[in-house]
Amino acid sequence: MATPTPTPTSPASIPSSVGRGGFLLARARVAPGAGGRWAVRAQPAAAELVERSVNTIRFLAVDAVEKAKSGHPGLPMGCAPLGHVLFDEFLRFNPANHAWFDRDRFVLSAGHGCMLHYALLHLAGYQGVTIDDLKAFRQWGSRTPGHPENFETDGVEVTTGPLGQGFANAVGLALAEKHLAARFNKPDLTVVDHYTYVILGDGCQMEGVANEAASLAGHWGLGKLIAFYDDNHISIDGSTAIAFTEDVLARYEALGWHTIWVENGNTGYDDIRAAIKEAKEVKDKPTLIKVTTTIGYGSPNKASTHSVHGSALGSKEVEATRKNLSWAHEPFHVPDEVKRHWAHHLDEGASLEAEWNAKFAEYEKKYHQEAVELNSIISGKLPAGWEDALPKYTPESPADATRNLSQQCLNALAKVIPGFLGGSADLASSNMTLLKMFGDFQKDTPEERNIRFGVREHAMGAICNGIAVHSPGLIPYCSTFFVFTDYMRAPIRLSALSESGVIFVMTHDSIGLGEDGPTHQPVEQLFSLRAMPGILMLRPADGTETSAAYRIAVINRKRPSILALSRQKLPQLEGTSVEGVAKGGYVISDNSSGNKPDLIFISTGSELEIAEKAADQLRKERKSVRVVSLVCWELFEEQSEEYKESVLPSDVTSRISIEAGVTLGWEKYIGQKGKAIGIDRFGSSAPAGRIYKELGLTVENLIATAKSL
């Protein structure tokens, strides 16, 4: 059955001036509201132009997917009306500067429909998304990959793809806006004032991470978060009726959201406009707008079917769709009148940013100290001397768990870095992550910096990714037990992909947590995270290494860091150093000469103490022993071959690693003749000391292994 050609209702407000080609192209300057905010917005264009614009969006998506013979045309075809109204009439941005601070943020959580986003960015004038880029959709080296990637495409805020993650990122973006607005806006000057918009689909709604994030957004009252639920009733396997029949709006109402239903998302342009306006009037709650659409709208034979969800229409169906929607143009055609209309965003965007710059200049004069802090957050430039705030330790400092030493570092950094904030998944008193000089970020106290995520690891990581990409100088951390990085694998992986420098503070890093047993004792997590590209996996052994690990984590703004921290107390070791940690691996003790020790012990974290004690005993037996801390494999691999040879000389084949985790991966450093002491099984429920003894992570076993080489 053919889908009828859309006939949009007339715009509620007809512009007063006529542009070239006979189309209405007026703009209106809205009077400033509180804080002196000006907004230059395009008025709804004539109905005929709106329809041509919407069909341009549809066919740019159809043609790109068809050329690539790969992609998802259904969502862009169904969501084109929503995309047009949002981008052309409401979204505040500057195509010439995609990183302008006070822009509205847009996230396509249903990232498979990314040709909708690319088409909109192209029409809006983003130079990074040309027609040639659209023609290169999904091809090697293109700026239009198969799912949105923020490091590839100007105008894309976050990397999305795994369903629900982008929605949770949007919650983080909205949290950042609310936090910064509460800290820096003044009664006479509003310098933080933007919305976060997100489109999510049925698949996102089914994923648990979305519900966790929605629960927090409602609790926090993120009134400037507006989510559009593309309600098209189709997923990859077919109708959503086979697995998803809940009342989504009722669920969101229970989670503390304002909800609206646009029943005709295909041609109800005025209804979409009215819904967005209503959502913007709701200040104390986020809003979910359910927009019922037809997936693959306009396709005579594939609309409303799962076959249009994830594959090209095919040449015959493309031609049938062109005929059905009266689109008599060659592929990738943008009508001149559509180009002329969308060109207004270039002038408008420049004007918006210029007005904000003028306002911020006034803010700098009136509120100098606040401006310095906000500038640090906007630019990502760290305050001078921030590293000096990190605590320093000596071998005489008392033994302590690295989770406790971590808390000292967190509190020291929060005092000197304006954009430092974070929290844990209901474990602040166990992870030791509370910032003692600040209160809790809550609905009515958004200026505070302790974020209470509750037992929501999935959403916690994704929300922190959103915070990190909001502004270069926002440095979020989040925390749980190290074993529960398994719950967070998707956001950790996307943190690496998004180049978002989240600091993941993971405590209870080994069997050393003791009696809670194997469900809580990580053994494979260290290696599995070392296997993930684009992250730094750090396991410090004492206070000096913990402080140094935080220095590394703060410096690395485009890759995340994971700190694995102990529950049990560890001594402050002789020979550990900040400079050594910066290189990932280094010698902490050695009684050899000529870079030719008899034996090399290599270790990390809590087992470095064991290696050092064993080395001391063997040295008494006239053995030359080197102890190496390999605190971060990734950083070590980035060093020169000469440096790596100076630490692990290739001529020395007698090497032993000791680490409370699986031995897989250690062969790279111990070689074929070396031995790896670790845990290639799950742990046990018992006091930590007994588990270490039973599993052979002892000085005695290390010495015996050394003598067997």
Side-chain angles (χ1 to χ4, degrees):
M1 179 178 177
T3 305
T5 300
T7 54
T9 54
S10 299
S13 175
I14 300 296
S16 58
S17 64
V18 179
R20 291 170 291 172
F23 292 95
L24 302 175
L25 303 175
R27 301 175 203 153
R29 179 180 287 276
V30 181
R37 178 189 183 192
W38 286 89
V40 181
R41 296 307 310 146
Q43 293 298 306
E48 183 181 0
L49 178 55
V50 168
E51 186 173 332
R52 290 192 190 187
S53 176
V54 167
N55 280 335
T56 300
I57 297 165
R58 287 191 177 114
F59 282 100
L60 286 175
V62 166
D63 295 337
V65 172
E66 193 65 27
K67 186 175 187 297
K69 303 300 179 188
S70 172
H72 301 72
L75 183 149
M77 296 169 75
C79 283
L82 166 61
H84 168 86
V85 172
L86 176 61
F87 265 70
D88 191 44
E89 300 177 21
F90 289 93
L91 205 67
R92 299 170 69 252
F93 58 92
N94 182 6
N97 180 11
H98 70 276
W100 169 46
F101 168 72
D102 207 34
R103 68 192 181 279
D104 289 337
R105 270 66 169 179
F106 170 75
V107 176
L108 183 63
S109 185
H112 54 274
C114 57
M115 266 311 306
L116 170 71
H117 199 180
Y118 299 151
L120 290 165
L121 292 173
H122 171 70
L123 292 178
Y126 284 81
Q127 292 303 302
V129 191
T130 65
I131 279 290
D132 286 340
D133 291 313
L134 300 185
K135 291 178 180 179
F137 178 54
R138 288 186 163 224
Q139 303 310 299
W140 179 265
S142 80
R143 291 183 289 191
T144 50
H147 285 79
E149 295 173 6
N150 62 317
F151 56 91
E152 294 282 6
T153 314
D154 291 352
V156 171
E157 300 288 351
V158 293
T159 295
T160 61
L163 295 177
Q165 291 288 325
F167 174 73
N169 295 160
V171 173
L173 288 165
L175 180 153
E177 193 278 341
K178 182 166 184 171
H179 172 69
L180 296 177
R183 280 178 64 181
F184 295 107
N185 286 344
K186 302 295 182 182
D188 61 328
L189 278 173
T190 300
V191 290
V192 183
D193 187 9
H194 51 267
Y195 282 83
T196 300
Y197 299 94
V198 56
I199 294 177
L200 68 162
D202 288 300
C204 295
Q205 295 287 20
M206 294 185 215
E207 289 285 3
V209 64
N211 194 69
E212 287 186 9
S215 176
L216 281 167
H219 170 74
W220 289 327
L222 301 180
K224 297 178 86 170
L225 172 63
I226 300 175
F228 302 94
Y229 165 31
D230 177 28
D231 171 43
N232 62 35
H233 307 291
I234 296 293
S235 60
I236 289 177
D237 278 352
S239 169
T240 53
I242 63 175
F244 188 59
T245 53
E246 68 190 48
D247 186 338
V248 173
L249 291 187
R251 172 159 61 94
Y252 273 73
E253 287 174 7
L255 293 173
W257 287 59
H258 178 67
T259 62
I260 306 169
W261 184 14
V262 175
E263 297 185 46
N264 177 13
N266 297 326
T267 61
Y269 298 95
D270 282 344
D271 294 338
I272 295 170
R273 292 183 186 108
I276 297 172
K277 290 176 181 177
E278 179 182 332
K280 294 183 75 170
E281 290 299 315
V282 178
K283 308 298 184 183
D284 61 339
K285 296 180 179 181
T287 295
L288 179 73
I289 304 173
K290 182 170 85 167
V291 185
T292 299
T293 66
T294 298
I295 191 170
Y297 184 88
S299 171
N301 303 299
K302 294 188 176 183
S304 296
T305 69
H306 68 95
S307 62
V308 77
H309 179 281
S311 59
L313 292 177
S315 58
K316 290 184 179 179
E317 190 64 14
V318 169
E319 290 310 309
T321 304
R322 276 182 155 78
K323 183 177 180 181
N324 190 43
L325 293 179
S326 302
W327 191 254
H329 301 291
E330 70 278 5
F332 298 100
H333 178 76
V334 179
D336 288 342
E337 61 273 16
V338 173
K339 289 181 183 177
R340 287 194 295 267
H341 173 72
W342 279 82
H344 75 80
H345 288 288
L346 293 169
D347 289 341
E348 178 183 311
S351 177
L352 286 168
E353 183 171 358
E355 289 171 357
W356 184 86
N357 287 338
K359 187 192 303 182
F360 191 70
E362 183 181 356
Y363 186 89
E364 288 181 302
K365 293 176 181 178
K366 287 188 174 182
Y367 307 103
H368 176 71
Q369 185 55 44
E370 292 92 333
V372 168
E373 291 191 5
L374 183 54
N375 251 326
S376 173
I377 291 170
I378 293 172
S379 68
K381 185 177 180 180
L382 294 167
W386 68 271
E387 295 167 277
D388 296 336
L390 284 165
K392 296 175 177 60
Y393 304 90
T394 69
E396 291 70 43
S397 300
D400 207 346
T402 52
R403 63 169 176 166
N404 294 334
L405 303 170
S406 164
Q407 185 171 48
Q408 296 171 19
C409 293
L410 289 171
N411 278 269
L413 290 170
K415 291 177 181 177
V416 296
I417 299 178
F420 201 82
L421 74 169
S424 82
D426 196 51
L427 289 167
S429 59
S430 193
N431 299 144
M432 310 306 290
T433 52
L434 196 68
L435 301 179
K436 297 178 180 179
M437 72 290 295
F438 296 111
D440 292 342
F441 176 95
Q442 295 289 356
K443 182 177 183 178
D444 297 325
T445 55
E447 70 279 4
E448 301 292 353
R449 294 205 234 169
N450 285 299
I451 305 175
R452 303 290 191 169
F453 289 102
V455 189
R456 298 184 184 91
E457 280 94 349
H458 303 274
M460 175 175 69
I463 288 170
C464 282
N465 285 342
I467 296 171
V469 299
H470 181 279
S471 294
L474 284 177
I475 305 178
Y477 67 88
C478 60
S479 185
T480 185
F481 291 169
F482 189 40
V483 75
F484 298 134
T485 53
D486 289 348
Y487 276 10
M488 301 179 66
R489 188 155 298 268
I492 290 173
R493 188 172 190 271
L494 286 168
S495 187
L497 266 170
S498 295
E499 300 180 349
S500 58
V502 176
I503 302 175
F504 296 93
V505 181
M506 300 297 159
T507 70
H508 298 62
D509 70 331
S510 71
I511 55 171
L513 68 89
E515 292 85 347
D516 275 348
T519 61
H520 283 53
Q521 291 169 1
V523 290
E524 76 277 20
Q525 281 73 18
L526 273 168
F527 176 74
S528 68
L529 289 164
R530 286 169 179 156
M532 189 179 290
I535 64 172
L536 299 176
M537 179 67 249
L538 299 115
R539 188 170 184 243
D542 65 0
T544 297
E545 288 202 342
T546 301
S547 190
Y550 271 104
R551 175 182 175 274
I552 293 296
V554 170
I555 289 171
N556 279 269
R557 290 296 78 234
K558 288 198 171 183
R559 58 179 168 177
S561 300
I562 304 175
L563 278 64
L565 305 165
S566 75
R567 176 180 183 265
Q568 72 272 32
K569 288 185 177 182
L570 303 175
Q572 311 299 337
L573 299 172
E574 188 85 43
T576 55
S577 74
V578 172
E579 297 77 18
V581 172
K583 294 180 178 179
Y586 65 107
V587 178
I588 71 161
S589 68
D590 188 9
N591 67 327
S592 69
S593 60
N595 202 31
K596 292 182 179 180
D598 297 327
L599 176 68
I600 301 176
F601 289 148
I602 317 170
S603 190
T604 72
S606 47
E607 291 72 61
L608 192 61
E609 172 196 7
I610 297 173
E612 187 65 8
K613 286 181 177 179
D616 282 344
Q617 290 198 29
L618 288 171
R619 288 165 186 156
K620 292 175 182 177
E621 300 176 16
R622 300 184 182 278
K623 297 289 185 181
S624 63
V625 184
R626 173 176 295 181
V627 178
V628 170
S629 172
L630 205 61
V631 59
C632 180
W633 293 16
E634 297 82 15
L635 288 174
F636 186 67
E637 288 304 317
E638 292 174 6
Q639 306 308 308
S640 68
E641 291 302 318
E642 292 77 12
Y643 177 77
K644 287 188 281 187
E645 178 69 16
S646 74
V647 176
L648 298 174
S650 53
D651 288 344
V652 181
T653 58
S654 296
R655 305 180 184 186
I656 303 174
S657 65
I658 181 167
E659 184 177 65
V662 297
T663 57
L664 185 63
W666 276 105
E667 60 272 10
K668 181 174 184 177
Y669 297 109
I670 62 173
Q672 292 184 344
K673 296 183 179 181
K675 297 285 186 180
I677 297 175
I679 308 173
D680 291 316
R681 50 156 282 182
F682 292 118
S684 297
S685 178
R690 180 65 183 272
I691 303 174
Y692 266 80
K693 181 179 179 180
E694 293 293 337
L695 297 185
L697 280 88
T698 63
V699 171
E700 294 75 17
N701 186 40
L702 187 52
I703 291 173
T705 303
K707 290 181 176 181
S708 72
L709 290 177

